[in-house]
Amino acid sequence: MAKQTLPTDFKDDILSASMNGKRRYIFTQNSDGTWSLEDVTTYNQVGDVLGAARLNALCKAVNESVDQAKAIESVETLAALTEAGYVVGGQAGAAMLSVLHALNDSGAVKGLEVKENGVYITYTLPGGADTVTKKLGKPETLVASGSGDNTYDLSGIPGYANLEAEDFLLTVTGISATASAYSHDYAINKECVVDLQSPSLTYDAASGALTVTGAEKTDMVGDSSSYGGFWVKNIVTVSYSIYTV
């Protein structure tokens, strides 16, 4: 909801000099025996009336303004926050910008994106070329671990239907390789190189299914389809842990 902007141009009554600083009134008798009071003051400026409508608007705007108890001024407090309804204060915002500027001195920060469920930062890990996208202010939580291409059921995670692929971070924990060959003489004269790319994640929010692909690769040199064929085969498998971020 947008913050209300209240008027700041209220005016006072300004009496003309002929009034000598005093208002003038006339009492008029009514037909029912009562009297009415009429202001006959001469004004250079007629001021505003602060009635119920303006007072209600003022009180509503105050009630909807930022509660200072809900303003977070510490980056550490912001990082540990798990409740809704808080706002980033000026000191915490300045500290975050300082950290981001320091990171980006080396071009590590690739972008910031504001989504309906939070603010995401995309950055490059130290010493690596791959980028990582992480939701600001949210701690990492381990949700799955395994190896190779696989699909994991995350429907047990609270709010799984609101998650996206960018809400998950895959961290490589190990790489294993196996090799096999038919015909030793053939194997020692042939090179079989496995070109393994970085694993990728896809997520189906409707079912909570998180799928890992590109975490295993098999390459073969030679012919294993016929009897007496000569071949060399290498299999590389990546082990990993997956976190919500």
Side-chain angles (χ1 to χ4, degrees), residues 114-120 135-136 138 162-164 167:
V114 179
K115 299 183 179 181
E116 290 185 357
N117 62 340
V119 180
Y120 292 78
K135 185 177 181 180
L136 291 178
K138 183 177 179 182
N162 298 321
L163 298 174
E164 302 176 0
D167 292 317

Side-chain angles (χ1 to χ4, degrees), residues 16-155:
S16 67
S18 63
M19 297 292 100
N20 294 320
K22 296 181 180 180
R23 299 177 190 268
R24 305 291 195 270
Y25 300 95
I26 292 178
F27 287 94
T28 303
Q29 188 173 15
N30 302 311
S31 59
D32 60 358
T34 61
W35 294 80
S36 295
L37 182 66
E38 180 182 358
D39 185 0
V40 293
T41 307
T42 302
Y43 295 94
N44 290 337
Q45 173 180 285
V46 177
D48 295 294
V49 176
L50 187 60
R54 281 183 168 172
L55 283 173
N56 288 336
L58 175 62
C59 293
K60 182 178 180 182
V62 171
N63 289 337
E64 293 175 349
S65 65
V66 174
D67 182 353
Q68 293 303 310
K70 295 286 188 178
I72 304 301
E73 296 291 357
S74 164
V75 175
E76 291 76 17
T77 303
L78 181 63
L81 191 64
T82 58
E83 300 177 42
Y86 289 83
V87 296
V88 178
Q91 294 178 359
M96 289 173 61
L97 288 174
S98 177
V99 172
L100 291 176
H101 284 311
L103 284 173
N104 215 29
D105 283 345
S106 59
V109 178
K110 301 302 180 184
L112 286 172
E113 183 179 3
V114 179
K115 299 183 179 181
E116 290 185 357
N117 62 340
V119 180
Y120 292 78
I121 181 173
T122 300
Y123 59 95
T124 303
L125 294 172
D130 294 335
T131 58
V132 174
T133 299
K134 182 177 181 180
K135 185 177 181 180
L136 291 178
K138 183 177 179 182
E140 297 177 354
T141 303
L142 179 66
V143 294
S145 59
S147 62
D149 294 351
N150 218 328
T151 297
Y152 300 91
D153 181 7
L154 304 184
S155 59

